[in-house]
Amino acid sequence: MPGWGLLCRAGARLLAGVPGGPVQAAATGTRGPWRFIVRPVNSSTWWDEHLSNENTQFLKQLTAEEYRAQTASKLCPLKDEPWPLHPWEPGSRRVGLVAIKLGMAPLWTKDGERHAVTLLQVRDCHVLKYTSKEENNGKTALLVVGGKNSSPFHKSESALEIFREAGVPPKQKTTIFKVSDNAIIKPGTPLYAAHFRPGQFVDVTAKTIGKGFQGVMKRWGFKGQPATHGQTKTHRRPGAISNSKVSKVFRGKKMPGKMGNIYRTSFGLKVWRINTKHNIIYVNGSIPGHANCLVKVKDSFLPTRQDCYKNPPFPTFFADGEEELPEDLYDQEVFQFTDSSVTYV
Amino acid sequence: MAAVCGRFLEPAVVRGLAQASAARPGARCRYFSSSALLRANSGEPPKFQPPPKPVIIDKSKVVVERRFLSPEFIPPRGRKDPLKYYIERIDMIRRRKVLNIPEFYVGSILSVTTADPYASDKTSRFVGICIQRGGKGLGATFVLRNVIEGQGVEFCYEIYNPRIQEIKVLKLEKRLDDNLMYLRDALPEYSTFDVNMKPVPYSPNDEIPVNQLKVKMKPKPWSKRWERPYFNIQGIHFELPEEIMEEAQKLSQPWIKFDMLREYNTSELEKKIWNEVNEKLKK
């Protein structure tokens, strides 16, 4: 509302101006903040509040077409001046991906053992921004990577700037990866699931399922108190929180509070299988987060798992390169369903 | 009315045709056999040609090919991406091309041979009645029950486990319930099946027989209170006193069948998945 702006400026002029008068009289004694005199401006509106239906439809179609064109133009990164590609050296760190957790499924090995795997789908993953190591901290370069496409209408201008510069549709999740100098990638390159190969180990970070405000038994695993034998109104309480000698409660004391909805990482998860057609990674075990949540996947840092990085696709897998990968890549031990049943000799 | 006309038409038609053929002996009459033709071609007396057998199309019994979609193909209701179920289905179809997984229901008697590293011939065979089919997608399972040497044994097999070498249906039938867990509390004779029984043949287009057997139970206590309406069991012959049955009926929730949020109509989904699965299996 334009009226509020005028009022604000008028109010500011009154305050800054002549002492005495209605301003000083209102704020008795101390010169209180001017919010007591002029009401604050809180105008929050959403993007299509003041747009007609036709305009909304048009904008939606326009953005959709624009982003489809952008994605199509980025499909051949090797053909439009990529940054120089360096070979892999021991000690180099490459980018990770942003993936969507689809769900879990069983997987059998050739020995007949059953493992549970999580399916992660890499959908519209692009490199967004490069920060050189001089700009960062003098030691490691940074690459910002974005995940699933989302609408631009509920994002701030500052966030949309990054996507505009990269020439890529706005993403739902952006993460930062610390990268060695020989693994930097030009912003705008798409990243695929074949960036990882079966047999290697990854770390997966995601926000855990939020449980809300929880008591001490669920949140920290306290034992609580017995149900019977005279307990008065005390069955799930923490009990004692400190002793009298210390006469204070230590910082970080486990108490009830908001549980979940925090970032947690699962380390050293083996990649069993990669589907290059739908860009799906089959990762061993479970992962924090609910179904369809966005996760950050990167090469494992564990020292005992570094042997498998002898020949990774470095700096990343380019779909328009010379490599023609089959639709499914399996680890050596995985039972493929096209084989005949497992028999023991 | 058509039948009445028919009755009156037929002799009239026959008489009319007879008259026509008598009037023009050389004329070809479609309604009679080729005896008239033979008479026309040569002067010899015609060989006796029996009239063609009438083709009776009994339209009251319509033969419909049975469309059976295994329940693990139907995705459960939830917020997961359908792509995940599609990927699982591709793997399930690949496995079905290698191993024939026959159509079976809860109540059918199956024999399953699996690879066993600790057996002398590295295979183990189990025969039993299917009491439960659970799980969706690749992790779908079925539980077989049998009583061997007086001991009740249950085996939970994963349908897509690569160690399974053969699944054979010895007797295809349905029971009154979808879940026969109450056989644990029934008399052992209802769970005993001969390990060497011969497979009962069945044609793929027949309707599946529903066994109306009502099972007699061991004395209470049971593992679950099967008389309660929550389980909705039709296949037990309850010999409990009436007070207990009435007490159980007090816990019935008749409003559940009107609850619209519990409805999950899978007919559209089933059709799509049936077409998809069949196309891929044929390739």
Side-chain angles (χ1 to χ4, degrees):
Chain A
M1 260 202 62
W4 285 122
L6 278 170
L7 272 172
C8 290
R9 272 173 257 136
R13 248 180 280 136
L14 271 173
L15 274 170
V18 180
V23 179
Q24 292 283 17
T28 44
T30 55
R31 268 241 206 131
W34 57 274
R35 69 172 180 272
F36 291 131
I37 307 130
V38 175
R39 269 188 279 160
V41 178
N42 276 334
S43 65
S44 53
T45 176
W46 56 96
W47 71 281
D48 61 344
E49 187 183 14
H50 302 293
L51 293 177
S52 67
N53 269 345
E54 288 167 1
N55 289 353
T56 324
Q57 296 294 323
F58 172 70
L59 272 177
K60 282 189 186 171
Q61 276 164 15
L62 188 70
T63 45
E65 278 164 24
E66 197 187 310
Y67 296 142
R68 246 175 275 145
Q70 277 181 338
T71 345
S73 68
K74 297 287 176 190
L75 280 176
C76 306
L78 281 178
K79 285 185 188 144
D80 41 47
E81 306 136 19
W83 288 353
L85 309 169
H86 304 281
W88 178 83
E89 281 151 34
S92 40
R93 290 154 79 170
R94 45 174 206 152
V95 196
L97 300 175
V98 176
I100 299 168
K101 173 180 169 176
L102 290 181
M104 293 185 77
L107 181 128
W108 286 273
T109 58
K110 290 186 175 148
D111 297 330
E113 277 172 17
R114 181 191 197 262
H115 298 268
V117 291
T118 317
L119 311 197
L120 299 175
Q121 189 197 17
V122 179
R123 208 190 287 177
D124 313 314
C125 193
H126 286 94
V127 176
L128 297 175
K129 192 166 140 187
Y130 162 65
T131 329
S132 61
K133 67 176 189 196
E134 289 81 32
E135 285 162 37
N136 181 23
N137 60 358
K139 289 183 196 169
T140 23
L142 297 179
L143 276 180
V144 179
V145 170
K148 177 173 142 189
N149 283 356
S150 74
S151 83
F153 302 119
H154 300 276
K155 292 195 159 52
S156 56
E157 264 304 311
S158 51
L160 288 177
E161 249 183 66
I162 305 177
F163 302 118
R164 218 175 292 137
E165 269 164 54
V168 135
K171 307 287 183 191
Q172 192 174 322
K173 180 177 166 84
T174 51
T175 45
I176 304 179
F177 292 96
K178 290 202 209 77
V179 150
S180 55
D181 280 327
N182 54 354
I184 54 177
I185 307 173
K186 183 175 177 185
T189 26
L191 300 173
Y192 299 99
H195 177 85
F196 296 111
R197 290 298 154 91
Q200 75 166 98
F201 292 84
V202 289
D203 297 340
V204 179
T205 313
K207 263 196 176 175
T208 51
I209 298 178
K211 314 266 179 188
F213 196 102
Q214 287 298 338
V216 110
M217 276 178 86
K218 193 181 190 69
R219 196 177 184 214
W220 299 114
F222 284 13
K223 279 186 78 178
Q225 289 82 29
T228 55
H229 291 299
Q231 310 291 319
T232 23
K233 307 201 289 187
T234 314
H235 306 289
R236 301 183 67 93
R237 298 179 76 187
I241 54 175
S242 189
N243 55 21
S244 54
K245 203 165 180 194
V246 182
S247 64
K248 69 169 187 175
V249 177
F250 291 120
R251 186 191 305 275
K253 174 83 192 70
K254 289 181 180 174
M255 284 188 167
K258 290 256 162 61
M259 181 183 168
N261 203 28
I262 47 173
Y263 283 104
R264 282 288 185 256
T265 313
S266 303
F267 296 101
L269 304 177
K270 181 167 178 179
V271 171
W272 285 111
R273 178 178 163 182
I274 306 264
N275 183 320
T276 38
K277 185 176 165 203
H278 299 274
N279 273 327
I280 296 186
I281 312 173
Y282 288 63
V283 160
N284 190 35
S286 58
I287 269 158
H290 54 87
N292 301 325
C293 77
L294 289 158
V295 308
K296 172 179 176 180
V297 193
K298 52 188 234 218
D299 298 329
S300 190
F301 87 104
L302 296 174
T304 46
R305 303 288 187 224
Q306 299 294 324
D307 290 338
C308 37
Y309 300 125
K310 293 296 153 64
N311 263 328
F314 200 83
T316 186
F317 169 75
F318 292 103
D320 57 336
E322 298 95 35
E323 262 192 287
E324 276 292 325
L325 287 180
E327 189 189 322
D328 272 302
L329 293 165
Y330 296 91
D331 184 48
Q332 277 174 350
E333 296 166 10
V334 168
F335 170 77
Q336 305 183 24
F337 285 106
T338 39
D339 299 339
S340 51
S341 308
V342 162
T343 40
Y344 298 102
V345 176
Chain B
M1 178 153 164
V4 168
C5 284
R7 258 185 280 130
F8 282 111
L9 256 170
E10 274 166 39
V13 164
V14 167
R15 254 180 274 129
L17 288 167
Q19 281 168 10
S21 68
R24 288 174 290 162
R28 250 194 328 163
C29 184
R30 266 179 259 127
Y31 301 98
F32 290 95
S33 60
S34 45
S35 52
L37 264 170
L38 283 171
R39 217 181 291 133
N41 290 339
S42 59
E44 296 156 7
K47 270 192 283 185
F48 173 67
Q49 292 266 326
K53 284 222 171 90
V55 177
I56 305 169
I57 303 168
D58 190 3
K59 292 217 170 131
S60 58
K61 205 176 169 187
V62 182
V63 174
V64 176
E65 211 190 278
R66 193 168 59 223
R67 291 157 69 112
F68 172 72
L69 185 65
S70 212
E72 69 261 11
F73 280 104
I74 304 159
R77 193 163 68 151
R79 284 195 186 184
K80 295 232 177 102
D81 203 345
L83 177 71
K84 184 232 176 193
Y85 299 116
Y86 174 72
I87 300 282
E88 278 199 300
R89 254 177 274 142
I90 295 176
D91 276 335
M92 284 150 80
I93 291 163
R94 280 185 193 150
R95 176 71 182 154
R96 275 178 182 253
K97 283 188 187 167
V98 174
L99 171 74
N100 172 38
I101 297 169
E103 167 192 1
F104 66 96
Y105 303 89
V106 169
S108 331
I109 300 171
L110 307 186
S111 111
V112 175
T113 352
T114 43
D116 189 355
Y118 309 112
S120 50
D121 58 344
K122 307 294 176 192
T123 53
S124 81
R125 180 171 178 266
F126 186 74
V127 171
I129 182 171
C130 175
I131 57 174
Q132 181 184 267
R133 282 190 81 158
K136 298 285 180 195
L138 278 173
T141 56
F142 61 97
V143 181
L144 294 184
R145 179 182 167 82
N146 204 343
V147 172
I148 295 173
E149 290 173 18
Q151 173 65 50
V153 176
E154 283 181 17
F155 253 104
C156 178
Y157 288 106
E158 287 160 327
I159 301 180
Y160 297 98
N161 194 330
R163 281 166 65 176
I164 292 182
Q165 287 163 351
E166 194 204 18
I167 303 179
K168 210 154 117 190
V169 175
L170 300 175
K171 190 169 182 195
L172 180 69
E173 64 176 7
K174 277 193 200 179
R175 288 284 195 106
L176 293 167
D177 305 302
D178 269 338
N179 199 311
L180 300 177
M181 284 293 177
Y182 55 81
L183 290 179
R184 293 170 179 168
D185 299 314
L187 297 170
E189 68 210 34
Y190 294 102
S191 312
T192 11
F193 298 95
D194 181 20
V195 177
N196 303 314
M197 74 188 270
K198 295 277 187 282
V200 168
Y202 63 94
S203 100
N205 284 336
D206 276 345
E207 270 195 37
I208 309 128
V210 179
N211 194 345
Q212 309 279 339
L213 177 66
K214 294 227 173 199
V215 144
K216 294 210 169 65
M217 306 291 275
K218 289 193 241 182
K220 269 207 167 192
W222 298 330
S223 59
K224 298 252 184 242
R225 290 186 242 223
W226 303 112
E227 74 276 8
R228 291 203 170 168
Y230 169 76
F231 297 106
N232 192 21
I233 292 188
Q234 312 294 324
I236 297 183
H237 179 70
F238 290 109
E239 284 158 347
L240 300 168
E242 273 194 32
E243 304 96 47
I244 297 185
M245 298 301 287
E246 275 163 23
E247 279 291 318
Q249 286 306 314
K250 279 190 196 166
L251 289 131
S252 68
Q253 296 173 320
W255 56 85
I256 280 189
K257 63 176 186 276
F258 301 111
D259 194 345
M260 290 169 78
L261 284 180
R262 282 176 203 251
E263 284 169 10
Y264 182 39
N265 195 352
T266 49
S267 43
E268 293 291 331
L269 207 54
E270 268 193 57
K271 273 184 215 162
K272 276 189 215 163
I273 296 177
W274 163 262
N275 291 331
E276 184 197 312
V277 166
N278 265 31
E279 264 182 58
K280 291 211 177 122
L281 275 174
K282 276 174 202 163
K283 280 191 198 161

